[in-house]
Amino acid sequence: MRTPIDMSELLSEIEVPDIGSAQLALQDIQAKREQDLFAEQKRKGWDKTVEARCDFTPRPRLTRRSGLFFLSYWQKSVYGRTLTDIKADDSMVLFFAGTMTSFIKEIIGPDLLKGDWCIITTPKRRHLVKNFATRISEEIAAHLNIPFYEDVCSCRTKQRVDAIFDVNVVPKEQNVICFDDFVTTGQTLQAMKRALEPFNKNLLFFSGINNKL
C-alpha cells in the first residue's frame, strides 16, 4: 500500500495570481485602445491625405441625383489635387471657367446666341466674400456674354440635407444656368430647384466636379 503524499507543503509555495488585478489591467488596456481609436478617427477628419481629390481627366457625365439631372465635366478620383488645395489656388478659377464655358457651349449649342440666358450659383455658406463658385460663375458669364446674378438664393438653414433656400433675386431671363463647383449629394442643387420652381424658369444644372466615384 502506497504512503499518501503530503501536498500541503508544495501547495503553500505556489503563488495564486490575483485575478481581480488581471481583469483591471485588461480593462485599462481596452480603455486605452478605445481612446486611441477615437483619437485616430478624430485626426482623420483633419487629415488632408484622405480628402476627396480630382486629377482633372475629362469625364463629361449626365447624372441623376436627389431628384434632378446635372451635367459635370470632371470626376472625383483616387489621386490628384485635394478639393481644399483646388479652392485655395486662384489660377483654378480661370481654369474651371474656361473649361466649363466650352462645355456649356457644346451642350447648349446655337441657342446660347439667341439670348435670354443667364447664370447663377448656389448660396454662400461660410464665406462673407465671393467664394470659389461665385468667382467661376462670374468668369463664365463674361466668356458667354450673359448676365450673372449673385446671391440669387440664401440659405435659411445650416444643414445640407433638405436645406431651405430663400430667393433674393429673380433673374429676368427665362433660361437659367445654375453652376456649382462640386456636387456630392445633389441636395444643394435640389434646394435651388425647389426655390426657383415657382418662377417657371428653365433650369439647367452644371457642375465642375462630380464628387462621387
Side-chain angles (χ1 to χ4, degrees), residues 137-148:
S137 298
E138 282 183 328
E139 291 292 334
I140 294 173
H143 290 324
L144 295 176
N145 196 27
I146 61 175
F148 166 61

Side-chain angles (χ1 to χ4, degrees), residues 31-175:
K32 286 182 178 179
R33 284 179 177 174
E34 291 175 355
Q35 184 179 11
D36 290 343
L37 177 62
F38 176 76
E40 181 180 350
Q41 290 174 342
K42 184 176 181 181
R43 289 193 299 271
K44 188 176 179 181
W46 295 95
D47 186 357
K48 298 305 179 185
T49 62
V50 298
E51 188 182 355
R53 295 173 177 270
C54 182
D55 60 10
F56 292 106
T57 300
R59 295 187 181 93
R61 180 178 175 184
L62 175 65
T63 302
R64 179 172 173 81
R65 194 172 297 154
S66 296
L68 60 78
F69 286 98
F70 68 93
L71 291 143
S72 57
Y73 191 74
W74 298 292
Q75 188 78 19
K76 173 183 175 180
S77 58
V78 177
Y79 302 102
R81 301 183 66 176
T82 65
L83 302 190
T84 299
D85 182 41
I86 292 167
K87 288 190 175 187
D89 185 350
D90 287 340
S91 68
M92 293 303 292
V93 172
L94 295 179
F95 174 69
F96 265 70
T99 305
M100 292 306 299
T101 296
S102 299
F103 186 43
I104 291 170
K105 284 181 177 180
E106 185 178 357
I107 295 298
I108 299 177
D111 285 340
L112 266 174
L113 301 177
K114 297 178 182 179
D116 210 27
W117 286 90
C118 69
I119 185 169
I120 64 174
T121 190
T122 53
K124 304 182 184 77
R125 291 179 182 268
R126 298 181 299 275
H127 302 80
L128 297 178
V129 296
K130 293 177 181 178
N131 60 5
F132 193 60
T134 298
R135 295 170 64 196
I136 295 170
S137 298
E138 282 183 328
E139 291 292 334
I140 294 173
H143 290 324
L144 295 176
N145 196 27
I146 61 175
F148 166 61
Y149 293 89
E150 188 174 355
D151 297 326
V152 164
C153 291
S154 57
C155 189
R156 188 190 310 174
T157 54
K158 292 184 178 180
Q159 68 269 21
R160 292 187 178 273
V161 178
D162 296 326
I164 299 174
F165 290 175
D166 294 319
V167 178
N168 304 316
V169 179
V170 179
K172 65 179 182 179
E173 289 76 16
Q174 181 61 32
N175 304 307

